[in-house]
Amino acid sequence: MVAVLAPYAANELRSRGRRHAERTSTYRGEYQRDRDRIIHSTAFRRLVYKTQVFVNHEGDLYRTRLTHSLEVSQIGRTVAFALQLNEPLTEAICLAHDLGHTPFGHAGQDTLNACMRDYGGFEHNLQSLRVVDVLEAKYADFAGLNLMFETREGILKHCSTKNARSLGDVGERFLERKQPGLEAQIANIADAIAYNNHDVDDGYRAGLLSLDQLREQPLFETRFVEVRERYPDLEDRRLIYEIIRRMIGAVVSDLIEETRRRIDAAAPDSIDAVRNAGGPLVSMSDAMYDQHVSLKKFLHKHLYSHEQKLAMTRKVQAMVQDLFAVYMEDVTRMPEDFAFAASDSDDPGRARVVTDFIAGMTDRYAIAAHESLNC
Ligand code: MG
């Protein structure tokens, strides 16, 4: 099937382009190149050893940041294709959205943010942009991956006004209160759909969520009744999978249909009309959104705040704090390139280099680094 792009889709012929001009490629479009640069990046490969919800060594079958990103991309591509939007761009944004994530998931990010309180803070979303704009060192002609504007716009999901002012073109929309393109809006929601569903699977596998608890959730219960009725003898593991695939199907179909309705009503004729629409056009229906949010709150209460998870959180907080303190005190304990970058800096400059180093670590690298500190 050859996709014909809708007039309001991102289109490389009308793109705001790359920061450093490059020759076009013979065989690939510009957003395909972006996707491929992301796949070849060091930060992308590290995602395989970074926590999504469960710390990497807790089990082989849980999602990691890498498999999470692939699931986000699967959902994003489906929606983009169905709506005649730019599929390679959506895929690129989805694959890159968590590149700036620290080791140990949100516990790592919150701790690093607290360590950076006096030096401008730390935000994983902004760090994802920093990875593709500055930190990846691969190309002879420029720092970073030199991605297209629309890819960078999509990676920067949120950002404070203060940070937006220092970011130039990608920061503008936060100051002018505009929306990003539809591909970026899709990637944002695909992220939430992916984790809501795979965390049910992982939480159940870990024994932290029970079938009875899950059945209190309307999104789950509707599919539970459907599947039980049709397959009364199905064992629990397959039952759960069958329910999850139907939940994803229901939410994604609703998202496509509701978004189509909203696009028809707003009738944008270009990506700039989408940006000026006054609100996001990619959305679930109100009824589905309520069920989605209910499941999200349920996961917060019963999975992310589970005592077993909190015990792990306290452990990793102490680890990240120790790493930050030791490297700030003695930059030569970092690898040579980081030590060199930090050596002549003032406190905020040194703190940023230390943070880049820690944020880039995988879970197991951070654990090993902490053990080697002997503190
Ligand atoms: Mg994510």
Side-chain angles (χ1 to χ4, degrees):
M1 278 192 285
V2 177
V4 178
L5 286 182
Y8 38 79
N11 189 322
E12 65 182 57
L13 301 174
R14 292 186 287 280
S15 168
R16 290 172 71 174
R18 301 184 189 278
R19 297 205 289 180
H20 307 278
E22 290 187 61
R23 277 212 304 262
T24 54
S25 161
T26 313
Y27 300 111
R28 291 173 300 162
E30 297 304 319
Y31 300 119
Q32 290 172 317
R33 288 173 96 187
D34 279 10
R35 174 201 57 204
D36 299 347
R37 285 177 186 193
I38 290 158
I39 289 173
H40 287 282
S41 69
T42 306
F44 186 70
R45 284 198 301 284
R46 285 185 177 142
L47 295 180
V48 71
Y49 293 117
K50 289 196 182 199
T51 293
Q52 179 64 23
V53 171
F54 294 89
V55 174
N56 186 231
H57 63 256
E58 289 183 291
D60 286 348
L61 288 172
Y62 298 120
R63 269 69 177 186
T64 67
R65 286 271 157 211
L66 182 69
T67 56
H68 161 70
S69 300
L70 296 173
E71 291 183 33
V72 173
S73 152
Q74 180 276 314
I75 291 169
R77 282 189 291 108
T78 300
V79 179
F81 184 80
L83 295 169
Q84 289 182 288
L85 297 169
N86 201 309
E87 189 182 330
L89 170 60
T90 309
E91 187 179 11
I93 298 170
C94 290
L95 293 177
H97 85 283
D98 273 349
L99 287 182
H101 246 292
T102 60
F104 313 125
H106 284 278
Q109 117 105 26
D110 293 345
T111 312
L112 212 44
N113 187 28
C115 293
M116 287 293 285
R117 198 179 301 123
D118 297 333
Y119 311 113
F122 175 85
E123 211 273 294
H124 70 85
N125 206 227
L126 199 56
Q127 190 72 5
S128 295
L129 186 70
R130 189 167 158 77
V131 165
V132 299
D133 276 357
V134 182
L135 297 178
E136 279 291 320
K138 289 204 130 52
Y139 298 90
D141 290 329
F142 42 79
L145 304 179
N146 195 32
L147 301 180
M148 298 284 275
F149 173 84
E150 294 73 20
T151 313
R152 298 171 59 236
E153 173 190 46
I155 290 171
L156 191 64
K157 258 196 301 204
H158 19 246
C159 149
S160 66
T161 313
K162 187 171 146 266
N163 285 328
R165 283 202 191 93
S166 63
L167 287 172
D169 54 4
V170 275
E172 282 167 17
R173 79 176 161 96
F174 298 97
L175 305 173
E176 296 166 4
R177 302 194 178 282
K178 288 185 181 174
Q179 301 301 316
L182 294 171
E183 291 80 0
Q185 295 183 29
I186 289 173
N188 193 7
I189 296 186
D191 183 21
I193 297 173
Y195 65 65
N196 243 11
N197 284 285
H198 64 48
D199 289 351
V200 167
D201 185 30
D202 283 353
Y204 178 80
R205 180 187 298 280
L208 304 183
L209 301 175
S210 71
L211 210 49
D212 286 343
Q213 275 178 318
L214 285 163
R215 289 193 58 191
E216 289 164 22
Q217 286 304 305
L219 197 58
F220 188 92
E221 175 65 5
T222 311
R223 274 91 225 163
F224 176 87
V225 172
E226 255 171 44
V227 178
R228 260 280 178 264
E229 201 176 275
R230 176 127 189 243
Y231 307 98
D233 301 324
L234 207 58
E235 69 273 30
D236 282 358
R237 175 118 302 279
R238 283 171 81 184
L239 173 74
I240 291 277
Y241 274 130
E242 187 62 37
I243 292 169
I244 291 174
R245 71 178 276 248
R246 287 168 186 239
M247 288 202 297
I248 296 174
V251 176
V252 167
S253 302
D254 178 272
L255 178 66
I256 291 168
E257 284 153 28
E258 178 64 21
T259 302
R260 210 174 256 151
R261 262 194 295 279
R262 291 185 185 213
I263 290 174
D264 286 348
D269 57 3
S270 67
I271 189 169
D272 281 331
V274 168
R275 290 180 174 130
N276 291 318
L281 294 175
V282 176
S283 173
M284 296 170 206
S285 64
D286 289 347
M288 186 58 88
Y289 185 70
D290 287 348
Q291 294 190 18
H292 166 83
V293 170
S294 165
L295 179 58
K296 190 170 166 166
K297 285 186 182 154
F298 166 88
L299 290 168
H300 265 282
K301 189 164 162 207
H302 297 286
L303 181 60
Y304 313 142
S305 312
H306 195 284
E307 186 43 43
Q308 196 177 314
K309 291 249 19 101
L310 294 180
M312 184 56 92
T313 299
R314 286 189 286 273
K315 233 164 64 189
V316 305
Q317 273 169 345
M319 238 188 281
V320 172
Q321 278 164 357
D322 289 346
L323 289 170
F324 186 85
V326 167
Y327 296 139
M328 276 300 275
E329 185 65 34
D330 180 3
V331 296
T332 64
R333 298 187 76 157
M334 295 190 289
E336 214 175 328
D337 45 344
F338 285 97
F340 179 76
S343 58
D344 271 343
S345 300
D346 53 5
D347 283 358
R350 193 165 72 245
R352 188 58 61 190
V353 176
V354 168
T355 294
D356 285 339
F357 178 49
I358 296 174
M361 291 179 178
T362 60
D363 294 358
R364 56 189 200 165
Y365 186 101
I367 292 167
H370 187 258
E371 272 167 14
S372 75
L373 297 178
N374 292 322
C375 61

